[in-house]
Amino acid sequence: MIIKNSDLEAVAVRPEQYPPENLKEIAFAGRSNVGKSSLLNLITGRKKLARVSGSPGKTRTINFYLLNNDFRVVDLPGYGYAKVSKSVSEGWGPMIERYLKNRKNLLKVVQLVDIRHVPSKQDVEMYDYLRHFGLAGIVVATKADKISRNQMPKQIKLIKQTLKMSGEDKVIPVSSLKKTGYEELLEEMERLLEG
């Protein structure tokens, strides 16, 4: 799949701000600072579509991006960052839950984890939660350039075990810096959209 065009369509906190449920959606979720904005910029081929920030917890809204005038990619707020005030981060929970529970045109949530680390308690909770809603199955292991090729199989196995992934669930190592691995993710997305 080639992304020819991409635009920010809506920034939402409440369901009434969402775009209509007329197009298929694939959402992206992950801990703060896992590289979600960088990944979205990589797959769309745009440097500044999603704002990349050095300080975690920048995405505090649900951002809907229209791709190829055909489907949407949805950027969910990062979870698990301590420096964001508790009241703000607690507000994200219900906001994300409302979206995941009620969005009829949502096909799948791509969860991002950092390939260098064992998935956190919040990563495990998120994957369980996505599994509960039938939205799990694709994990992108970000920052793949930060480990050696020899370490990769071990880290992928660790991610699969920690998240209790099933045999058909996929872990896709991606490096936004080196621009590797994202083609496989685009292929998975294409399969979902055609399915």
Side-chain angles (χ1 to χ4, degrees):
M1 173 167 60
I2 296 164
I3 307 295
K4 294 187 181 72
N5 52 51
S6 50
D7 290 293
L8 178 62
E9 187 180 2
V11 174
V13 177
R14 296 181 306 282
E16 56 270 23
Q17 298 169 321
Y18 299 170
E21 292 181 335
N22 58 336
L23 296 173
K24 293 174 177 175
E25 291 175 356
I26 298 170
F28 285 72
R31 279 179 66 115
S32 300
N33 236 18
V34 75
K36 210 154 27 76
S37 298
S38 299
L39 178 69
L40 292 175
N41 290 337
L42 177 65
I43 62 175
T44 58
R46 286 186 56 186
K47 282 194 174 73
K48 293 192 173 84
L49 183 72
R51 282 209 348 257
V52 178
S53 165
S55 52
K58 268 288 179 256
T59 307
R60 297 181 184 190
T61 51
I62 298 177
N63 299 336
F64 294 82
Y65 298 97
L66 179 63
L67 273 55
N68 292 349
N69 297 314
D70 187 40
F71 71 99
R72 291 187 196 101
V73 157
V74 183
D75 184 9
L76 300 173
Y79 53 82
Y81 186 61
K83 281 210 177 89
V84 176
S85 80
K86 203 156 173 56
S87 62
V88 169
S89 63
E90 280 169 1
W92 291 345
M95 178 168 68
I96 295 171
E97 189 168 348
R98 248 191 328 263
Y99 171 75
L100 296 177
K101 235 188 210 161
N102 304 318
R103 197 68 172 161
K104 309 260 184 297
N105 53 332
L106 175 62
L107 302 177
K108 185 76 75 182
V109 177
V110 176
Q111 184 172 350
L112 280 66
V113 298
D114 187 326
I115 198 163
R116 299 170 297 178
H117 309 294
V118 178
S120 69
K121 182 171 167 272
Q122 282 133 331
D123 290 328
V124 173
E125 284 168 4
M126 187 64 169
Y127 202 75
D128 287 345
Y129 187 77
L130 295 176
R131 189 185 291 120
H132 172 75
F133 286 111
L135 296 167
I138 302 175
V139 170
V140 165
T142 61
K143 310 187 188 203
D145 54 285
K146 304 277 192 241
I147 63 167
S148 72
R149 285 202 173 280
N150 297 343
Q151 286 174 291
M152 209 167 284
K154 188 176 124 255
Q155 289 304 108
I156 288 171
K157 188 177 174 196
L158 195 62
I159 290 166
K160 284 186 164 176
Q161 286 173 340
T162 309
L163 298 178
K164 298 184 180 73
M165 295 174 78
S166 72
E168 60 271 9
D169 290 357
K170 289 200 161 45
V171 175
I172 304 170
V174 173
S175 165
S176 296
L177 190 69
K178 299 266 197 271
K179 297 180 171 45
T180 58
Y182 74 100
E183 299 95 341
E184 190 186 340
L185 174 60
L186 285 171
E187 282 167 27
E188 282 301 316
M189 288 168 64
E190 190 168 25
R191 264 198 286 278
L192 281 171
L193 293 162
E194 287 169 354

